[in-house]
Amino acid sequence: MQILPGDPARVALGVSASEESVARLRHEYGLDRPVLVQYAAWAGGLMRGDFGRSYVSGDVIAPRLVDALAVTGWLVLAALVVAVAIAIPVGTLMAVRHRHVDGVVLTALSQVGVAVPAFLAGMLLVAVVSVRWGALPSSGWVPPAVDPAGFLRHLVLPALSLGIVQAAILARYVRSAVLDVLREDYLRTARSKGLTPWRALIRHGLRNAGVPVATVLGLQLASMLIGAVVVERVFVVHGLGSLLLDAVQVRDLILVQDVVMVLVALVLLLSFLTDALYVAIDPRMRARSR
């Protein structure tokens, strides 16, 4: 962003502003200092919990980040619920029925789902559900504390457009993990003791298949954060993605840096939670870590 053409102070004040006004604003925000000095000042502010002020509006950035983070958090959480709720049963069915017509059809549909980008899924949902049926709003956002019913109505389509695509990807990994489990000796032993194939799989197999699936799920959470940038734009939802794109358009550099830093911190946090999930699923990893 620093090497791109354009002056944030000029963008903030407009093309009709005098050179003196632009120079004064550049000095006020420290834009006339070397890049490394600007970076050190920004990083030092973050250490103190100070995200700075917007170059364009002059407003304190922290409240805007909190509001946008809440919107993106709800969106990603709802998309995760959609993805897991679809992928686990569908992926398991694809594995168990992989030699039957229904299993092959589900596998083909999942391949189609992988090829569909989230923004296209969102536009299709808007065209059918909002425009044709008039069932749900096509854009906007309502905080849950203001109107819980309106919040859910505005959340459904963005969460579906982001979650369905991720479900198609996750279902293929679930299928592969369950197929590996079905070939294990302990599952054959369980079936030889009188358990039905489904009961043996549910009681002994799904837990072991969960470790590789958890790995992919952690990576998908990071992918959902990036995908939310596009989905928020399609549905005019003011989350971190929209905030980032708006800041890039007006060269609000400090706001861009803050949003990117929040996204990086979220990805690191999700990686930590994924590692914790490994231990919860497979107690053997807890013993290895001691």
Side-chain angles (χ1 to χ4, degrees):
M1 291 296 295
Q2 292 286 350
I3 64 174
L4 291 177
D7 186 346
R10 174 65 68 182
V11 173
L13 294 176
V15 293
S16 60
S18 64
E19 291 299 328
E20 291 76 12
S21 300
V22 173
R24 192 181 312 115
L25 189 62
R26 285 178 58 80
H27 180 70
E28 179 182 345
Y29 287 136
L31 295 172
D32 54 352
R33 294 182 292 178
V35 174
L36 289 179
V37 175
Q38 295 181 45
Y39 179 79
W42 170 73
L46 284 186
M47 297 294 179
R48 301 189 302 272
D50 179 11
F51 288 84
R53 290 179 176 273
S54 167
Y55 290 162
V56 177
S57 65
D59 297 335
V60 177
I61 290 176
R64 296 177 65 185
L65 281 177
V66 171
D67 293 342
L69 181 60
V71 173
T72 302
W74 278 114
L75 176 57
V76 172
L77 179 62
L80 176 65
V81 172
V82 170
V84 172
I86 295 174
I88 290 181
V90 171
T92 303
L93 191 60
M94 287 161 58
V96 174
R97 304 283 295 177
H98 69 283
R99 292 178 179 172
H100 299 77
V101 175
D102 50 352
V104 174
V105 171
L106 286 175
T107 302
L109 289 176
S110 72
Q111 186 62 46
V112 174
V114 170
V116 176
F119 77 90
L120 181 58
M123 293 173 68
L124 291 174
L125 286 172
V126 168
V128 176
V129 180
S130 298
V131 177
R132 188 175 183 83
W133 297 345
L136 291 169
S138 61
S139 62
W141 183 265
V142 177
V146 175
D147 181 6
F151 163 71
L152 291 176
R153 285 173 53 81
H154 284 82
L155 178 64
V156 169
L157 290 186
L160 281 177
S161 62
L162 188 59
I164 288 175
V165 175
Q166 298 299 327
I169 300 171
L170 185 60
R172 298 182 64 80
Y173 285 97
V174 172
R175 175 184 182 274
S176 178
V178 174
L179 278 176
D180 290 340
V181 167
L182 289 174
R183 301 187 186 101
E184 294 290 341
D185 292 337
Y186 64 82
L187 208 63
R188 283 194 285 268
T189 302
R191 293 177 61 181
S192 68
K193 291 181 178 179
L195 292 178
T196 63
W198 276 104
R199 181 163 294 183
L201 178 63
I202 293 172
R203 183 174 296 181
H204 301 287
L206 289 183
R207 188 182 183 91
N208 293 320
V211 175
V213 173
T215 304
V216 178
L217 192 59
L219 297 174
Q220 279 194 296
L221 279 171
S223 176
M224 284 184 190
L225 280 173
I226 305 304
V229 173
V230 179
V231 171
E232 287 173 7
R233 211 60 173 178
V234 171
F235 289 94
V236 197
V237 175
H238 298 293
L240 285 176
S242 293
L243 190 62
L244 177 63
L245 294 178
D246 291 341
V248 170
Q249 287 179 348
V250 297
R251 288 188 58 78
D252 199 344
L253 300 185
I254 190 169
L255 182 54
V256 172
Q257 293 172 184
D258 287 339
V259 174
V260 171
M261 183 56 65
V262 169
L263 291 173
V264 170
L266 286 175
V267 171
L268 293 176
L269 176 63
L270 293 174
S271 297
F272 171 77
L273 293 177
T274 302
D275 291 340
L277 185 60
Y278 294 159
V279 177
I281 293 175
D282 190 352
R284 291 174 298 179
M285 293 190 176
R286 192 181 307 143
R288 290 174 191 168
S289 62
R290 291 174 182 168

